[in-house]
Amino acid sequence: SAPPPHSPPPSGPCVDVEIRVTPDKRFNENSWRLSRGLKTMQTGSSNENGGKPVSTHVCLTYGMYTFTMLDEGGDGMCCERGAGMFQLFVRGEEATRGSEFSRSKSVQLKIGEVNEYAKKDVRVYVVNDDFPEQNRWALYDSMGNLVIESSDPYEEESVFEGEYTFVMFDTFGNGLCCANGDGFYNVFVNGDLVLEGGKFKGLEERRFLTVEKPIDVECYTSPDASDYRGAAQVTTSGILCQHWVEQNPHKHNYSIGSSRIPASTTTACLLTPEMV
């Protein structure tokens, strides 16, 4: 059954968001905050309900928010000391959840017109030097909100398009490489390597990261549609499309590998220039 509500669902020109927290056995270590930009909108603690599951309702207007779950013990909410977790519900439907992390876990929450296809996977892979306890990293959005923070060597999160700052920390001030081992970090966006490093001096290294809005695969930018990579089978005028290597049902003078049609073209159905 659902935990007792911390406060009743609000009414008015905003969207009901429920924050449901099921603490682990060390519930006194768990707390959370909900922020928008640099402003903290709401905070909570597992102590508020004596270590039992607690549900908090907030009414949020359209915009981008960041929810951060904190654990002072540094072992997250699962699984050595119980199956704890946090869940966020928007209009009664679960939007996200989390449980396994170290000291903190942040997730983005967009209230309003949300296009989930606009989210991209950001993956961080870190090989520590000989002193892993000195190293941690974080990802901040353009407003300074913490999106991801971890001392774990591997983490993956889906984020919306925008400008971000990746920060690699070393408390000793000598980086990941090379005085005490050959450490390094890699940052991937949807499988593509976008940042790498490890040699730096001082307590941190800041790198700017742009997560671009995905291209609509059903669109093309070239006037002759040679860059089309969608799945349409007919043109808007009803003409059947075909693979570039085929001459049936439409004859054409183009071939894969030419200056007009790149050799990397593999999509089974593309428009020929005479069809647009």
Side-chain angles (χ1 to χ4, degrees):
S1 61
H6 178 268
S7 56
S11 59
C14 51
V15 176
D16 175 49
V17 174
E18 178 189 358
I19 301 170
R20 187 180 300 176
V21 177
T22 302
D24 60 9
K25 294 179 181 179
R26 293 187 175 180
F27 61 88
N28 59 310
E29 298 177 348
N30 303 142
S31 62
W32 58 265
R33 67 174 179 267
L34 180 69
S35 58
R36 182 177 186 178
L38 300 179
K39 181 180 180 181
T40 298
M41 309 295 295
Q42 188 97 5
T43 61
S45 170
S46 297
N47 282 323
E48 297 175 2
N49 199 31
K52 298 179 180 179
V54 60
S55 178
T56 303
H57 286 266
V58 292
C59 201
L60 302 179
T61 56
Y62 282 10
M64 185 76 75
Y65 298 83
T66 300
F67 174 82
T68 302
M69 193 75 210
L70 303 167
D71 183 82
E72 292 183 0
D75 58 357
M77 305 179 71
C78 182
C79 297
E80 294 182 2
R81 298 180 176 87
M85 72 168 68
F86 66 84
Q87 298 165 279
L88 301 184
F89 297 83
V90 180
R91 295 191 180 96
E93 295 186 4
E94 184 175 292
T96 187
R97 65 167 59 192
S99 58
E100 297 186 54
F101 57 93
S102 53
R103 293 190 175 276
S104 69
K105 174 73 172 180
S106 296
V107 295
Q108 288 180 307
L109 184 65
K110 190 174 183 179
I111 303 299
E113 298 299 325
V114 179
N115 178 9
E116 286 299 318
Y117 294 103
K119 300 188 80 172
K120 286 198 171 186
D121 292 327
V122 173
R123 179 165 56 93
V124 177
Y125 177 68
V126 176
V127 173
N128 288 304
D129 58 12
D130 297 336
F131 299 94
E133 68 278 4
Q134 299 175 353
N135 307 324
R136 65 182 179 90
W137 56 267
L139 186 70
Y140 298 88
D141 64 17
S142 60
M143 298 296 294
N145 291 313
L146 179 66
V147 179
I148 312 172
E149 181 182 39
S150 181
S151 57
D152 299 330
Y154 176 87
E155 185 79 32
E156 185 169 354
E157 184 67 54
S158 293
V159 302
F160 290 96
E161 72 271 8
E163 301 294 327
Y164 296 86
T165 300
F166 173 81
V167 185
M168 189 74 219
F169 299 93
D170 180 81
T171 57
F172 192 74
N174 62 350
L176 297 175
C177 183
C178 297
N180 298 301
D182 297 325
F184 64 89
Y185 63 80
N186 289 335
V187 181
F188 301 84
V189 176
N190 271 20
D192 296 327
L193 179 64
V194 295
L195 290 179
E196 58 183 335
K199 291 183 179 182
F200 61 93
K201 295 181 180 181
L203 299 179
E204 64 182 51
E205 179 175 57
R206 290 180 173 264
R207 303 285 299 276
F208 294 104
L209 171 66
T210 299
V211 177
E212 297 180 349
K213 185 176 182 179
I215 299 174
D216 187 351
V217 296
E218 290 298 333
C219 295
Y220 57 85
T221 58
S222 175
D224 63 4
S226 60
D227 59 348
Y228 178 74
R229 298 295 183 272
Q233 301 298 310
V234 295
T235 67
T236 56
S237 60
I239 301 175
L240 183 66
C241 61
Q242 67 196 52
H243 196 283
W244 287 105
V245 300
E246 298 176 352
Q247 294 292 327
N248 184 51
H250 310 289
K251 298 286 186 180
H252 62 87
N253 297 319
Y254 300 92
S255 62
I256 294 179
S258 67
S259 59
R260 299 291 294 279
I261 313 302
S264 59
T265 299
T266 58
T267 306
C269 185
L270 300 176
L271 299 175
T272 61
E274 289 85 358
M275 296 166 58
V276 297

